[in-house]
Each structure stands twice: as C-alpha cells, then as structure tokens.
Amino acid sequence: MPFLLKNDAVITPELICKYIKLHRDLLCDRYKMLEDYYNGEHPILKRLPKREGDPCNNLVANFPAYIADMASGYHIGEPVSYQSESEDLTDLLELYKNAQVDVQDTENSDDQAIFGVAYELVYMSSDKVPEPKTANVPPSQAFVIYNDTVEFKSICGVYYTQTCDQSAQTINGYDVVASTAEKYIRFHVNKDYNIEGDIDEDINPFGAVTLIEIYNNKYKKSDFEKVLSLIDG
C-alpha cells in the first residue's frame, strides 16, 4: 500500500511522525516475518508434538532463501552497463564507480526479492570534496510519500533509525531524516511518536526527493511470499 498525501499539502515534522507510526503499524511486522523466513527461522521450529512422547521432527528446508537468491541472481547477476550514442558518460561512470553503485544495485535486488521493495538513499559524502553517493537502507526504516494524483509523484522520502536508552537497553525513539525536493528535515521523536528537541532544516542540493523506492512487482510482494503456505506445509 503506497503512502499518499494531498498534492497541495504541507510537509511538517508532525505529519511525518503520523506516517512513521503508520509505517511501523502496517508494514514492519511483515518485513520482520519475511526476514525470518529468509534466515531460516520458520514457524515449524516452534511447533510442538501433537502427543506426548512423539518425536519433534522440526526441520527447515530454506526454500525462501533459495528462491530469493536465485531471483536476485537472475535479476542483477550481470552488473548494469550504461551507454549513450549522444553523450559522453565518462564523468558519470567515474562517479558511479566511486559510489560503488554496482554494490548498491545488488543489495537493492536482494531486498526486492526478500521484502518486495527496496530503498536507495542518495546523499553527499563527508569527504573534503563531497561527491554524490548512494546507500541501500532497510525497508523497515524507510518509506516514500506520494501525491494522490495519477502522476503518483514522490513528494517526501523518510529514513529513520532507532535510538536506545543505554542503561535500560530499550528503544526510546527514532532519529528522522526526511527529504522533499526543496529541503531536508531532521528531528528526533520518542517512542510515542512525539517530537523531542530541535527541528533542523537544510536546503536539498539535489532538488529532488533523495529516497528512491524500487518495487519488486506491482504489489510489492516478495519472490517467495506467494508460496509460504506450501513452505509451512
């Protein structure tokens, strides 16, 4: 399900907090379930014998990992090549090489196969002479908001990371970075999705939303999600 917003709506930190809660409530449990299946942590491992004394033959054949790895290998096993009949791509390809775009493509393809969607974050490096780079970020920590027109244009990308209470070792909130075509918005929210501390805003030098959502298919389904009942059987 895409996150939609009125085309003329104003992106505010308070609005972003509501979407973060929606993202965690609607999608994060599913992402965790799919990740568990990929890692071989299947429900059958918790299945108990029907009768006392029966053997506990809880075995896992990790077909989700096999399906996802095969699909990703076919998809991006050969790195993407770039050619142009009208323009010199030398400088662009050098930037791509420095940014290790082929590595990000592989990680994005893996996430598409496992979760049904991948997210790629574009940013400026912290070098003395900054260069544009990209990073694959987990679907459980990122989402894109689109306008509600047939154009379906991205109007805000949100990436957030958990913060922890060091003494209790529990999650106490999230650090949030949101991008629109005009600016970056940075702030912290607590576990109740209320803003704490300052809200920082900077100009977005890219002039576009810097979080890219990549679908695996129209319905954003994992490559093994349709056969989970067979795997569980």
Side-chain angles (χ1 to χ4, degrees), residues 33-43 62 64 224 228 232:
M33 178 268 292
L34 293 171
E35 185 175 33
D36 285 347
Y37 267 101
Y38 180 80
N39 289 327
E41 299 170 14
H42 298 190
N62 200 352
F224 56 81
L228 286 181
D232 288 341

Side-chain angles (χ1 to χ4, degrees), residues 122-156:
V122 182
Y123 67 99
M124 295 299 292
S125 71
S126 58
D127 302 328
K128 288 185 178 180
V129 181
E131 289 187 343
K133 291 192 173 183
T134 68
N136 165 270
V137 296
S140 59
Q141 296 174 212
F143 59 91
V144 175
I145 303 171
Y146 298 89
N147 66 14
D148 62 350
T149 69
V150 293
E151 190 179 15
F152 202 61
K153 183 179 179 181
S154 61
I155 55 178
C156 183

Side-chain angles (χ1 to χ4, degrees), residues 30-43 60-73 106-107 109-115 222-225 228 231:
R30 171 176 168 268
Y31 291 146
K32 178 64 167 63
M33 178 268 292
L34 293 171
E35 185 175 33
D36 285 347
Y37 267 101
Y38 180 80
N39 289 327
E41 299 170 14
H42 298 190
V60 169
N62 200 352
F63 287 112
Y66 177 79
I67 293 169
D69 291 347
M70 287 291 288
S72 181
T106 299
E107 293 182 355
S109 181
D110 289 344
D111 279 356
Q112 286 174 257
I114 298 168
F115 303 108
S222 159
D223 282 326
F224 56 81
E225 200 163 355
L228 286 181
I231 293 168

Side-chain angles (χ1 to χ4, degrees), residues 36-112:
D36 285 347
Y37 267 101
Y38 180 80
N39 289 327
E41 299 170 14
H42 298 190
I44 193 173
L45 294 176
K46 299 177 182 179
R47 190 179 298 173
L48 299 176
K50 292 182 178 180
R51 295 181 296 273
E52 186 177 353
D54 282 356
C56 187
N57 298 323
N58 294 350
L59 304 177
V60 169
N62 200 352
F63 287 112
Y66 177 79
I67 293 169
D69 291 347
M70 287 291 288
S72 181
Y74 277 112
H75 179 210
I76 206 72
E78 184 72 23
V80 178
S81 61
Y82 303 88
Q83 298 177 347
S84 174
E85 296 179 355
S86 59
E87 297 184 27
D88 182 4
L89 301 182
T90 303
D91 292 341
L92 176 64
L93 294 177
E94 185 64 24
L95 285 172
Y96 277 14
K97 180 181 178 181
N98 293 341
Q100 296 185 309
V101 167
D102 56 336
V103 175
Q104 309 309 323
D105 287 344
T106 299
E107 293 182 355
N108 290 336
S109 181
D110 289 344
D111 279 356
Q112 286 174 257

